[in-house]
Structure formats: structure tokens, C-alpha cells
């Protein structure tokens, strides 16, 4: 039952945290160690400097240093994407060129946030980024954070550009996603863990997961079972992750906060605040429960 969806960056991608030292500086050594662990535990690729990577609070220089450190650790065989999104097209273009120079394999590009541009402007923004480097783009559709949807009709047009190859789908619109999947060759990656298996079952490419920072094998297991034709097992394995996913992604705390509560990766940067004791204890209990399930 292996899917035939295009997978330009693999199936199981982690939206990696950005480790900081106790003093709040970028911690490239911990970043390297964490990236190596993710690959060893079954991640096909890594997405850096996304939402979970606290990209709004890292500098351009830190983004480049993080990418270079992780590339040095994992080598050329592991796809590395890096977030270059900003509300400013000119800044996004600078970040895209910087990422290409630093060794990225692809760009994660979120729709411009806060200003809420109309669809024609959103489309023009992405086309400018696609034309700025030779790297493939994964468009990041997350209207809950940006305030602006990448509408299916816009995606259909953008799919005609040869470097627009993938979507990180956080729009919670399976009908819209299926429409684009049916009419384009775009690779759809779930950005919402609870939809990893459902989207994969209708032709998605895989996922970009925050929860994979702490449970990479458990997030991958349902897709492996589905590809092997063991659909009931895939559904069971997917259910096993539900509690941890709920606490990490739907408890009111950002994923960067909850992931770092479970990892020795330093603090979060303000305006984020660390998880409180009660939340951290709950996360730990859910994580240990998942481990006990195998």
C-alpha cells in the first residue's frame, strides 16, 4: 500500500527546535547533537528555523550559523530545509539567498504575516522567492498564525512554477488539500500531527512534526505500518501518539515551549516563557506513557 506521492524531502521530517545556552545564545553543539539523534531515530529530513525553531526571535546570522552547524553534522545525505519567512518580501529574499549559500536543500516559506495581503500579493511574494534562488520551496500554509490562507486556487497557480514543489499543510481543510493533490504534483506534508496519517492516506507525502523532536520513531511508525499494508496497526499507532500530541500542540502552549520542556535544549526566548511545573509534569507523564506502549 506504499503511496506514490512525490516526496522531494522524504516522508518523516522534524521541525527542529533551536537550542540555546543558559545565557540565551545559540547553542550549535547541542543543535548538532540533537540533529544527529533525530536522523538516527528515523527522521528523513530536518526543517530548521521554523515556528518550532523560534525563528521570529533568532537573527539572520544565527539562522545561518544553525544551518551550517547542522549540515556539518548530518552531511549531505539528509535534506535540510530552513525557514525564510517574514512579513517583508525584501527580507525574505535576503534570507533565501543566505540559506542557499549556507547549504540548504530547500526553503520553508510562510505566507507574509500580520499585513494580511490579498491572494494576488501572496502569490507574487512566493513567486519572487521562487525566482530568487535555485532551491525548491515548501510553502507553509498556516492561517491560524499568519492571518492569511494560501487559498487552493492560489496553490494551483503556484504549482506551475518548477521550484514550488511542496506544501506544509496547517490549514485544517482536507477538502481543499485533496483538491490541490488531485490537480497538481505538489508534495503535501502535514504540519498538524493529528492529521499526519489521514493526509498520508489520501496521497500526502508525509509530515513536518514538532512532536518528532521528542518521539521521532513513534511519529514515523504509523506511516511505516500504512506503507506495509497494516492499516489497523497504523491507526492504533497513530492513536498512541494522540495524548502527547494534544499536550504538546493543543494545550495552549507553543510547540517550542512544550518540546523544550521535554528536552535538555536550553530556554525559550522571550516573549515565550518556559512551561510551568504542572504542564511539564503532564508532558513527562504523557511521554513516558507513549514509551510504555512500545
Amino acid at each position: 500500500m506504499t503511496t506514490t506521492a512525490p516526496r522531494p524531502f522524504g516522508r518523516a521530517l522534524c521541525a527542529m527546535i533551536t537550542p540555546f545556552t543558559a545565557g540565551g545564545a545559540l547553542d550549535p553543539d547541542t543543535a548538532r547533537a540533537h540533529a544527529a539523534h533525530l536522523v538516527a531515530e528515523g527522521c528523513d529530513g530536518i526543517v530548521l528555523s521554523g515556528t518550532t525553531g523560534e525563528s521570529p526571535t533568532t537573527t539572520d546570522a544565527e539562522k545561518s550559523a544553525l544551518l551550517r552547524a547542522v549540515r556539518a553534522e548530518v552531511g549531505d545525505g539528509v535534506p535540510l530545509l530552513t525557514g525564510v519567512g517574514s512579513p517583508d518580501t525584501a527580507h525574505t529574499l535576503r534570507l533565501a539567498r543566505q540559506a542557499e549559500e549556507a547549504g540548504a536543500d530547500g526553503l520553508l516559506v510562510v505566507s507574509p504575516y500580520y499585513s494580511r495581503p490579498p491572494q494576488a500579493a501572496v502569490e507574487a511574494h512566493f513567486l519572487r522567492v521562487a525566482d530568487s534562488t535555485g532551491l525548491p520551496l515548501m510553502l507553509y500554509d498556516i492561517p491560524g498564525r499568519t492571518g492569511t490562507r494560501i487559498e487552493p486556487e492560489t496553490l494551483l497557480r503556484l504549482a506551475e512554477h518548477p521550484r514550488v514543489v511542496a506544501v506544509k499543510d496547517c490549514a485544517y481543510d482536507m477538502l481543499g488539500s485533496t483538491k490541490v493533490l488531485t490537480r497538481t504534483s505538489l508534495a503535501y506534508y502535514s504540519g498538524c500531527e493529528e492529521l499526519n496519517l489521514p493526509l498520508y492516506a489520501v496521497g500526502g507525502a508525509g509530515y513536518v512534526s514538532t512532536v518528532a523532536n521528542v518521539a521521532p520513531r513513534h511519529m514515523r511508525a504509523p506511516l511505516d505500518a500504512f506503507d506495509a499494508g497494516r492499516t489497523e496497526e497504523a491507526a492504533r499507532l497513530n492513536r498512541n501518539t494522540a495524548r502527547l500530541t494534544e499536550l504538546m500542540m493543543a494545550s495552549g502552549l507553543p510547540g517550542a515551549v512544550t518540546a523544550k520542556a521535554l528536552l535538555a535544549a536550553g530556554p525559550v526566548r522571550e516573549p515565550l516563557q518556559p512551561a510551568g511545573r504542572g504542564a511539564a509534569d503532564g508532558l513527562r507523564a504523557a511521554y513516558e506513557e507513549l514509551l510504555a506502549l512500545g
Side-chain angles (χ1 to χ4, degrees), residues 52-272:
T52 305
E54 300 178 71
S55 60
T57 58
T58 58
T59 68
D60 294 1
E62 286 174 326
K63 290 178 173 65
S64 182
L66 176 66
L67 174 57
R68 291 179 187 277
V70 172
R71 171 60 75 204
E73 181 64 33
V74 303
D76 294 331
V78 177
L80 295 183
L81 289 84
T82 190
V84 298
S86 86
D88 173 9
T89 299
H91 186 203
T92 301
L93 297 178
R94 291 195 298 272
L95 286 172
R97 295 176 185 123
Q98 172 183 286
E100 185 173 41
E101 292 173 0
D105 295 301
L107 305 174
L108 177 71
V109 192
V110 73
S111 53
Y113 43 89
Y114 187 74
S115 57
R116 300 184 69 179
Q119 288 297 295
V122 171
E123 182 178 350
H125 172 85
F126 285 130
L127 290 175
R128 288 269 283 147
V129 181
D131 288 336
S132 69
T133 78
L135 296 177
L137 271 59
M138 178 186 287
L139 307 184
Y140 189 4
D141 190 13
I142 183 166
R145 285 185 178 270
T146 66
T148 304
R149 175 81 191 274
I150 312 174
E151 295 291 346
E153 292 299 328
T154 303
L155 286 167
L156 292 176
R157 292 190 297 272
L158 287 166
E160 297 176 3
H161 195 290
R163 283 188 291 280
V164 175
V165 302
V167 177
K168 181 181 177 184
D169 186 9
C170 295
Y172 287 98
D173 177 11
M174 286 290 285
L175 181 58
S177 299
T178 303
K179 176 180 178 179
V180 179
L181 278 167
T182 300
R183 295 173 57 184
T184 75
S185 60
L186 288 174
Y188 256 70
Y189 290 87
S190 170
C192 307
E193 280 82 357
E194 66 272 30
L195 295 181
N196 285 0
L197 182 59
L199 185 61
Y200 194 66
V202 298
Y207 58 77
V208 178
S209 170
T210 295
V211 178
N213 278 283
V214 300
R217 288 197 179 276
H218 292 84
M219 299 310 297
R220 180 182 177 122
L223 272 58
D224 288 342
F226 186 88
D227 276 350
R230 303 190 301 271
T231 56
E232 291 185 6
E233 179 184 353
R236 176 182 60 80
L237 292 169
N238 190 62
R239 289 193 297 269
N240 286 351
T241 66
R243 180 59 177 160
L244 182 61
T245 290
E246 180 181 16
L247 289 181
M248 287 189 66
M249 307 305 296
S251 67
L253 294 175
V257 172
T258 57
K260 284 189 170 180
L262 287 166
L263 297 168
V268 291
R269 279 189 176 167
E270 291 182 323
L272 297 182

